């Protein structure tokens, strides 16, 4: 732990919803999976119900049809992760919450219960991290009002429309504002997670984890080739 | 599709076992998740039973205690993915099989049924890909005998001991030999997957997918800083 006397957090939770982007959450989680072999950590996986939550969305989902008119009608490709708790029965000692993005972040029926949960739970958290369009969900809760934050660059125009009181940063791999960390799209969440581990457990731990995963970190939070690629700057 | 008249594969399967490394399989899968929105793809998730398969292993697992004496007894940190088929009831038209690694690849009770399945199924496959110590599992099937292959660099000594008839490549991000692709540890699987997508669907598709995921590819299959880092060369 760097420059602070707080004990490192032990209880981490993630939120899942139908149509979450797999790597948004599994990239950061796998860093913590390896850390949990040498450091005591606990994970809670939260969702609306205890049913497995799939990355894929029903093809008849109206907003999906609008967004992805070219989706082949016969793709059947998804993975489902099993929650450990519902929002209604979430443990009361969660210290760190991680929220992924994905096309499902555009569906009110997914987002509304998450927003309600965040509004109630945020004051208890030590850290809140979002990946990709997870920051659009967080923006709807009001927690980002007046804060700097970033998001997926391909979806940036839509994200900004979700809450104009947020100081959206168009070019950043990730952004830290207080105890809220937001990353750019998908793979950027992995770089944010290593930076966060470095902040909490120190640089040696972060480097050991990245080398164990044979991951080449992008260490510059302001470096963001994809801002130009997707026209956000 | 490059330099061949074969139709691109449509049916991809992955294998899960207790103690699989999450990013080994979700990194490559999420590339395909995005591809499946524009290209018809089908995914089967194979395991010994239809019960959800967890990344975490019981702490009393004997080989785990040997490998990780420092594991804190009270870490409770894992994620479970839901299979779609058992090995016994696998679809008969799988074209591409992806096998992850992880500490669970060291347990005979995990590996034996996978080895049996591979021996029977390999002749029907168009491609077989492994990530990390997934190549140690594949090595036990005999499919890698006389072939070039690589694996996780931190675990390389153990991997080589699993089958000395394999031409193990100590320094490589990934290796291609015929229709068998093997990658180095964990995150290397993502780079291998983009290279494979490039091989099958072309460079424009691969680049579009990587940019959409905001992923900075490592494009050199021979570039491998982690070989030195973990002393395999």
């Amino acid at each position: 732990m760097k420059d602070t006397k707080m004990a490192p957090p032990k209880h981490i939770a993630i939120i899942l919803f139908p149509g979450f982007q797999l790597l948004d959450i599994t990239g950061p989680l796998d860093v913590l999976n390896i850390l949990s072999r040498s450091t005591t950590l606990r994970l809670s996986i939260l969702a609306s119900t205890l049913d497995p939550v799939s990355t894929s969305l029903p093809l008849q989902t109206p907003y999906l049809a609008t967004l992805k008119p070219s989706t082949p009608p016969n793709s059947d490709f998804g993975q489902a992760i099993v929650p450990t708790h519902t929002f209604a029965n979430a443990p009361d000692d969660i210290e760190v919450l991680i929220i992924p993005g994905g096309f499902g972040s555009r569906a009110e029926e997914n987002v509304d219960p998450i927003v309600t949960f965040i509004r109630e739970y945020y004051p208890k958290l030590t850290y809140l991290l979002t990946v990709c369009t997870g920051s659009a969900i967080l923006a709807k809760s009001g927690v980002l009002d007046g804060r700097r934050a970033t998001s997926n660059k391909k979806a940036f125009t839509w994200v900004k429309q979700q809450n104009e009181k947020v100081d959206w940063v168009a070019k950043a791999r990730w952004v830290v504002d207080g105890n809220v960390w937001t990353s750019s799209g998908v793979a950027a969440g992995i770089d944010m997670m290593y930076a966060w581990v470095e902040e909490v457990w120190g640089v040696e731990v972060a480097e050991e984890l990245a080398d164990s995963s044979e991951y080449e970190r992008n260490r510059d939070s302001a470096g963001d080739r994809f801002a130009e690629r997707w026209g956000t700057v």
Side-chain angles (χ1 to χ4, degrees), chain A:
Chain A
M1 193 112 199
K2 208 172 72 177
D3 300 333
T4 161
K5 295 194 177 68
M6 286 198 308
K10 290 189 185 336
H11 191 173
I12 292 163
I14 64 166
I15 285 177
L16 296 182
F17 50 84
F20 71 98
Q21 189 70 39
L22 185 67
L23 191 62
D24 284 12
I25 197 66
T26 60
L29 269 184
D30 207 42
V31 179
L32 299 173
N33 280 340
I34 299 179
L35 180 62
S36 75
R37 294 175 195 154
S38 57
T39 297
T40 301
L41 288 178
R42 175 181 165 204
L43 178 69
S44 296
I45 303 177
L46 313 179
S48 284
T49 75
L50 291 178
D51 294 334
V53 184
S54 179
T55 56
S56 62
L57 288 166
L59 288 167
Q60 62 273 33
T61 307
Y63 65 97
L64 192 69
T66 310
L67 285 166
K68 302 185 288 175
S70 66
T71 298
N74 49 351
S75 264
D76 179 11
F77 207 94
Q79 308 84 44
I81 293 179
V82 185
T84 61
H85 299 81
T86 63
F87 297 128
N89 293 303
D92 61 5
D93 61 350
I94 296 166
E95 296 160 277
V96 180
L97 183 65
I98 310 174
I99 307 171
F103 277 109
S105 68
R106 304 188 184 225
E108 281 180 18
E109 65 269 29
N110 291 340
V111 171
D112 290 351
I114 302 175
V115 165
T116 301
F117 177 77
I118 293 169
R119 283 185 183 142
E120 186 181 316
Y121 215 105
Y122 174 70
K124 292 200 264 185
L125 293 173
T126 312
Y127 293 98
L128 199 164
L129 298 87
T130 70
V131 179
C132 195
T133 53
S135 58
I137 300 175
L138 185 58
K140 288 189 177 174
S141 76
V143 166
L144 286 179
D145 287 10
R147 289 188 196 254
R148 299 174 72 248
T150 196
S151 195
N152 182 299
K153 295 303 148 44
K154 199 173 176 182
F156 208 67
T157 301
W158 172 81
V159 170
K160 286 191 292 184
Q161 290 164 354
Q162 305 314 301
N163 186 340
E164 295 183 353
K165 295 181 202 154
V166 181
D167 181 7
W168 292 109
V169 182
K171 180 170 179 164
R173 188 78 174 158
W174 71 89
V175 166
V176 184
D177 190 325
N179 67 350
V180 179
W181 295 54
T182 55
S183 88
S184 193
V186 199
I190 302 176
D191 294 315
M192 177 182 72
M193 177 51 59
Y194 281 115
W196 180 74
V197 166
E198 191 169 316
E199 173 76 14
V200 176
W201 285 277
V203 63
E204 286 178 21
V205 171
E207 290 295 300
E208 176 81 14
L209 290 172
D211 285 355
S212 294
S213 289
E214 303 190 26
Y215 182 71
E216 297 287 6
R217 295 175 60 186
N218 302 291
R219 290 181 177 77
D220 178 9
S221 65
D224 180 16
R225 177 171 74 78
F226 302 103
E228 283 89 17
R229 172 64 179 87
W230 297 114
T232 66
V233 289

